[in-house]
Amino acid sequence: MALKLHGLMPILATPFDSTGALDRAGLRRLVEFELASGVDGVAVFGMASEGFALTTEERRMILDDVVEVVDGHVPVIAGVNGTSTATSIEQALLAQDGGADALMVLPPFMVKPPAASLIDFYGDVADATSLSVMVQDAPGVTGVAMTPALIAELAVLDGVDSVKVESPPTAPKVGAVVDAITDPAFAVLGGQNAQFCLEEYARGAVGTMPACEFPDLLGPVLADFVAGRVDDARAAFRRMLPLVLIGLQGGIAWAVHKEILVARGIIEHATVRYPAAGLDAGSRAAVHVVLDELALPPLPVAVRV
């Protein structure tokens, strides 16, 4: 039976120590924070994870730690960002061997594939693994455009069970994809740091995959919206929107996510790896203005540094 992905499934940041080495203790605290916040899944090796800067051995260690802490309570989704069918299948099989439950697969992007060939690509990746495959529609990152009609064709492939729509404007694209899909079990999810998550839900999305620093704030918003308490959901989302928006800045988004996690007492260092850029003094101050205005509640003791 296909895995039904839904709800709030944050993309985990990858904590590094002050030297740039993997901070496995910080990663484990981060996962504990997500679970304590009631998430419906967690993802590794996505764009917000600095997946582009991780070695193969680090990917193994990260997945080991995340799977162990999650302990089957929610699905673990592993990003696949290979630049060919062969490298994507290699990453998919490593994720399968490491205990992931599903794959979030970018199309090849170094050489831009014609749309028709993506059917073969996703079919080959899905055939190579027993895991559920999520199509990641992220042309801002890959330069590879996918129409709703193409996504509908991918949705009928065995093993391809969901799509993450990150093609702006995302809400209309979500609606068009939902209308094009014939299988009601196929999950349409949003991204873009949940910037338009309520509009996406209104258009038929069943989940969202933002960065990982605010699940305790976003979870209740989504629960209210799904339960029909739309005004409450919108009011709470407006309050947290500056936190969402400040994490959408190209080039420094990774450092913003980590600065917030440090300020919240979850990880110790906001270190990022090139080509991600650190924060200058003004950007760091702007992050803390947003945090001060929100006056966030204290975290559970179990996940504090």
Side-chain angles (χ1 to χ4, degrees), residues 24-38:
R24 298 180 73 175
L27 175 64
R28 295 174 77 91
R29 283 193 304 273
L30 177 56
V31 178
E32 289 164 355
F33 167 57
E34 306 300 317
L35 295 175
S37 300

Side-chain angles (χ1 to χ4, degrees), residues 78-178:
V80 170
N81 53 14
T83 51
S84 67
T85 301
T87 53
S88 296
I89 288 175
E90 178 184 55
Q91 290 183 16
L93 293 176
L94 286 171
Q96 177 177 287
D97 292 345
D101 299 294
L103 305 171
M104 179 174 64
V105 183
L106 283 173
F109 51 89
M110 289 293 291
V111 178
K112 303 298 183 282
S117 72
L118 289 178
I119 297 171
D120 292 334
F121 167 75
Y122 279 101
D124 289 344
V125 173
D127 285 345
T129 173
S130 62
L131 302 182
S132 294
V133 170
M134 177 192 300
V135 175
Q136 189 171 5
D137 171 31
V141 174
T142 64
V144 179
M146 300 186 200
T147 65
L150 173 61
I151 294 171
E153 289 188 70
L154 297 175
V156 303
L157 296 173
D158 287 342
V160 178
D161 303 313
S162 59
V163 62
K164 181 186 181 188
V165 174
E166 299 190 277
S167 176
T170 56
K173 180 70 173 283
V174 163
V177 171
V178 169

Side-chain angles (χ1 to χ4, degrees), residues 36-63:
S37 300
V39 300
D40 300 293
V42 294
V44 293
F45 317 140
M47 282 301 296
S49 310
E50 293 173 83
F52 52 81
L54 299 173
T55 69
T56 299
E57 183 57 30
E58 286 171 335
R59 291 170 77 103
R60 287 194 183 96
M61 291 189 291
I62 289 166
L63 191 54

